[in-house]
Amino acid sequence: MSTDIIFYMRSLHNGGVDRVVFNLAEEFMARGLGVVIAVDYDNQFSPFRTLLPVGARYEVLEARGPIARLRKLMRLIRDERPRAVMCTSFGFPNVFAVAARMIAGASFHLMLTEHCFPSVDRAAPRPWQARYWFFPIAHFAYPHADSIVAVSEGTGDDLARVISIDRASVQCIYNPIVSETLLAQARQPVEHPWFTPGAPPVVIAVGRMEAQKNFALLIRAFAKVSAARDCRLMILGDGSERVMLEALVQSLELGERVSMPGFKPNPHAYVAKAATLVLSSDFESLANVVIEAMAVGTPVVATDCPSGPAEALGGGRHGRLVKVGDVDGMAAAIEAAIVDGAPPVPAEWLAQFSTPRVADRYLELMC
């Protein structure tokens, strides 16, 4: 099969961007398009390596330095002759893609997609750090792309501001989250004693155990809730803060009420059976887990952080928003979600996050 679309990223990780790429790849292939997922290097520790979509070619460029990235990306483009290249890693991979097309003289639709919140990376960089040089270079490079897409309006505002480009040149397309596959996965059983009939309610969170997610805030808020009612907290994911979070759990004497079982290939089955999904992040571009929870009917509590959760929740119409860092506010919102639940999210609201509709929007730009 010929190559229609190349997804280009630094590497597979273990987060929402990988799921977005896989969802789009599966939808594009279902429509008869040939897909290549190209990475600079192979992350042997990423659990997403085993979840690559069947039928998509996985190309490892083995490129870690800037010259190697540029040279090998140019070779891939010349060999594959794609109709479109979609870059999904923030930073220099986007710049390399712009340069590769200009040098190679190839003709294809180049799309740069923004899944991060750029101003966070711009905070206090040093001249010896790559991100110090990225922003002024991006100011000149990004306008050479055919399309620039942000996954939320807030992210688009932030990107245009920090690299000083015309905001009108950045389009917003929400992530492809809601699908029949997601709903089918949500119906699968979970073999865990906390999800048996009559068991105490489970508060759940999903994400990488990194500072951005601020799971420490969630654990402290849960401690207040569990002091007044019998409930449980489960955090699905892994990362550099695991040891710190485990120590916090022990210091608050929550060892019997908190479980952190690591990465799960199908978190949706767990989320669908929980009393509430909590997102405690300090910042998010869109917050895929919030949309996933809405889709499977689980009440949501989220920090009103820049910039995605409020957009995904319709300004609080479809879930509870609390101030960033507010332990008491989060505890109160979790308690309310357990007691009162939440009304169903309207189908028309969820439709804007559906994989077919999002794929339509991307193809409209690329064709």
Side-chain angles (χ1 to χ4, degrees):
M1 180 181 290
S2 62
T3 299
D4 294 291
I5 299 171
I6 295 176
F7 291 94
Y8 173 53
M9 54 205 303
R10 183 173 283 112
S11 70
L12 296 181
H13 195 47
N14 63 347
V17 177
D18 296 341
R19 291 195 185 275
V20 167
V21 169
F22 291 0
N23 288 352
L24 279 176
E26 289 174 345
E27 182 67 21
F28 290 157
M29 287 188 294
R31 301 184 186 198
L33 301 177
V35 170
V36 170
I37 297 174
V39 296
D40 284 335
Y41 60 92
D42 191 23
N43 181 358
Q44 298 286 336
F45 301 102
S46 171
F48 280 81
R49 292 176 76 251
T50 62
L51 303 176
L52 282 159
V54 176
R57 256 185 37 235
Y58 180 52
E59 290 286 339
V60 180
L61 301 182
E62 293 295 351
R64 292 181 180 269
I67 301 302
R69 284 174 176 165
L70 183 60
R71 178 171 53 83
K72 293 185 177 184
L73 181 58
M74 287 173 55
R75 180 186 303 164
L76 178 69
I77 289 169
R78 285 169 173 161
D79 290 345
E80 299 297 330
R81 299 184 178 277
R83 291 167 51 191
V85 174
M86 183 187 298
C87 301
T88 62
S89 293
F90 172 71
F92 276 105
N94 287 351
V95 174
F96 293 142
V98 172
R101 185 175 69 164
M102 294 176 68
I103 297 172
S107 177
F108 59 86
H109 188 103
L110 177 58
M111 176 182 292
L112 311 181
T113 61
E114 184 52 64
H115 294 262
C116 300
F117 205 67
S119 60
V120 174
D121 284 313
R122 195 179 187 183
R126 299 292 187 266
W128 57 84
Q129 295 176 311
R131 61 192 175 98
Y132 180 90
W133 302 100
F134 166 74
F135 295 98
I137 294 173
H139 168 72
F140 294 102
Y142 271 51
H144 289 283
D146 296 299
S147 303
I148 305 171
V149 173
V151 298
S152 69
E153 295 290 354
T155 297
D157 294 342
D158 192 63
L159 176 65
R161 181 172 57 252
V162 298
I163 65 173
S164 300
I165 62 173
D166 183 5
R167 177 62 178 87
S169 70
V170 183
Q171 301 194 50
C172 172
I173 301 179
Y174 290 135
N175 283 337
I177 304 298
V178 183
S179 66
E180 290 301 322
T181 299
L182 167 68
L183 299 178
Q185 290 177 337
R187 291 190 291 267
Q188 292 181 4
V190 170
E191 294 183 3
H192 194 285
W194 286 4
F195 295 100
T196 55
V202 177
V203 177
I204 198 164
V206 183
R208 293 173 292 110
M209 292 182 175
E210 306 296 342
Q212 170 200 349
K213 302 300 183 181
N214 202 350
F215 287 133
L217 170 71
L218 169 58
I219 292 170
R220 292 189 175 95
F222 174 77
K224 292 179 176 291
V225 177
S226 66
R229 71 162 52 246
D230 189 15
C231 55
R232 303 289 184 267
L233 170 63
M234 179 175 287
I235 302 176
L236 302 181
D238 221 328
S240 64
E241 291 202 331
R242 170 174 284 278
V243 173
M244 180 274 288
L245 295 173
E246 289 174 339
L248 178 60
V249 168
Q250 295 305 315
S251 71
L252 295 173
E253 299 182 350
L254 295 172
E256 299 299 317
R257 295 192 171 199
V258 176
S259 174
M260 295 186 284
F263 175 85
K264 295 294 181 182
N266 178 18
H268 315 307
Y270 293 81
V271 172
K273 298 165 184 60
T276 181
L277 178 285
V278 181
L279 181 133
S280 51
S281 300
D282 293 335
F283 62 92
E284 290 281 351
S285 286
L286 183 60
N288 292 351
V289 295
V290 165
I291 301 166
E292 291 163 353
M294 287 193 295
V296 301
T298 300
V300 174
V301 173
T303 48
D304 190 8
C305 65
S307 63
E311 282 190 50
L313 293 172
R317 294 192 304 276
H318 308 304
R320 294 170 173 83
L321 292 168
V322 299
K323 293 180 180 178
V324 174
D326 184 356
V327 174
D328 291 337
M330 177 164 285
I334 292 172
E335 174 71 20
I338 292 174
V339 173
D340 300 329
V345 178
E348 59 268 24
W349 181 259
L350 290 173
Q352 63 189 324
F353 308 110
S354 71
T355 299
R357 181 176 294 187
V358 172
D360 285 342
R361 294 203 58 197
Y362 275 112
L363 291 174
E364 287 169 3
L365 288 180
M366 291 187 286
C367 296

